[in-house]
Amino acid sequence: MGFGDLKSAAGLRVLNDFLADRSYIEGYVPSQADIAVFEAIATPPPADLCHALRWYNHIKSYEKQKASLPGVKKALGKYGPADVEDTTGAATDSKDDDDIDLFGSDDEEESEEAKKLREERLAQYESKKSKKPAVVAKSSLLLDVKPWDDETDMAKLEECVRSIQADGLVWGSSKLVPVGYGIKKLQIQCVVEDDKVGTDMLEERITAFEDYVQSMDVAAFNKI
């Protein structure tokens, strides 16, 4: 049982296939199983492994709450497909990274030249890691904005909604959807950066246009 080497392309493909019909490693909510697998991955999965990348970005958004997630973290070999041997950590990560002895040897004295070389390569390694771009967690939202009655100016209502501007907020397409008795609601899409824009903030600012807006609901919420 396992995913193979999760630091390799082959291991990530196994993970991607495993998550094709699952939201999480185990169960229906984020747990310590997700954290254990997440921490075994060296870098975010590539874009063509869409299921693994979607899961990776979602679990990354729980970084500050990971200690409070349910479950008990087990060995990596306890997760994943039953017919795959877990070899995470057994294979080498990359030529640049694995040639570096970060701690030296406890059994023999290190020469000055070897020590200098090790420190130089360690500095190069840390510099390379620090330049890797951070992954920005984003979500796609579909909002239902309801007017007071069939006499509400829906064009003006949409204008008010789109007038809301914030760092990390991008408005998308929209349409009017009948809800009955001649009343139509506005359905509008947007993409938000999770650390900058929340649904509570959107609801507060949209319902502030109280001459036009009766209420706002989140009709769909998907991690990107």
Side-chain angles (χ1 to χ4, degrees):
M1 190 173 189
F3 293 105
D5 182 8
L6 284 171
K7 292 183 173 62
S8 70
L12 291 177
R13 281 195 296 271
V14 174
L15 176 64
N16 186 69
D17 293 341
F18 182 78
L19 292 169
D21 56 356
R22 295 175 174 86
S23 296
Y24 303 102
I25 300 301
E26 287 184 345
Y28 301 97
V29 296
S31 69
Q32 293 301 320
D34 297 283
I35 298 302
V37 177
F38 177 89
E39 291 178 344
I41 298 175
T43 58
D48 61 318
L49 301 181
C50 57
H51 305 300
L53 182 59
R54 176 262 306 161
W55 168 85
Y56 182 94
N57 289 336
H58 182 47
I59 299 306
K60 185 176 177 64
S61 70
Y62 286 92
E63 187 170 3
K64 295 180 180 179
Q65 299 89 21
K66 65 181 182 181
S68 64
L69 295 180
V72 177
K73 193 183 296 184
K74 297 180 289 188
L76 287 172
K78 299 295 184 181
Y79 306 117
D83 57 345
V84 177
E85 180 183 359
D86 179 71
T87 58
T88 304
T92 57
D93 293 349
S94 70
K95 182 177 180 182
D96 288 340
D97 295 351
D98 288 346
D99 286 344
I100 302 171
D101 179 2
L102 301 183
F103 302 100
S105 171
D106 293 332
D107 299 328
E108 58 185 49
E109 282 193 30
E110 192 175 30
S111 69
E112 285 299 318
E113 184 177 354
K115 182 178 180 180
K116 181 178 179 181
L117 178 61
R118 180 173 64 85
E119 290 176 349
E120 288 177 354
R121 298 191 69 185
L122 179 58
Q124 292 172 0
Y125 174 66
E126 293 296 337
S127 176
K128 184 191 301 182
K129 283 177 57 180
S130 67
K131 292 178 181 177
K132 290 181 179 178
V135 177
V136 178
K138 295 182 179 181
S139 298
S140 174
L141 309 180
L142 180 64
L143 307 179
D144 280 350
V145 184
K146 298 177 182 177
W148 288 104
D149 51 41
D150 59 344
E151 295 182 358
T152 299
D153 186 339
M154 297 303 292
K156 183 63 177 178
L157 184 149
E158 180 174 352
E159 180 184 334
C160 291
V161 171
R162 290 185 181 275
S163 71
I164 298 171
Q165 300 295 318
D167 184 24
L169 169 65
V170 178
W171 293 108
S173 60
S174 64
K175 64 180 179 179
L176 297 179
V177 179
V179 295
Y181 304 102
I183 301 174
K184 296 181 180 180
K185 65 182 178 181
L186 173 69
Q187 274 198 341
I188 186 167
Q189 293 180 321
C190 65
V191 173
V192 300
E193 292 184 22
D194 296 347
D195 291 341
K196 297 179 179 179
V197 180
T199 55
D200 290 343
M201 183 273 275
L202 287 174
E203 182 176 14
E204 179 181 351
R205 295 187 63 176
I206 289 174
T207 54
F209 297 107
E210 55 188 21
D211 290 341
Y212 302 96
V213 178
Q214 179 192 115
S215 64
M216 186 219 85
D217 298 304
V218 179
F221 184 106
N222 295 293
K223 291 287 185 180
I224 299 177

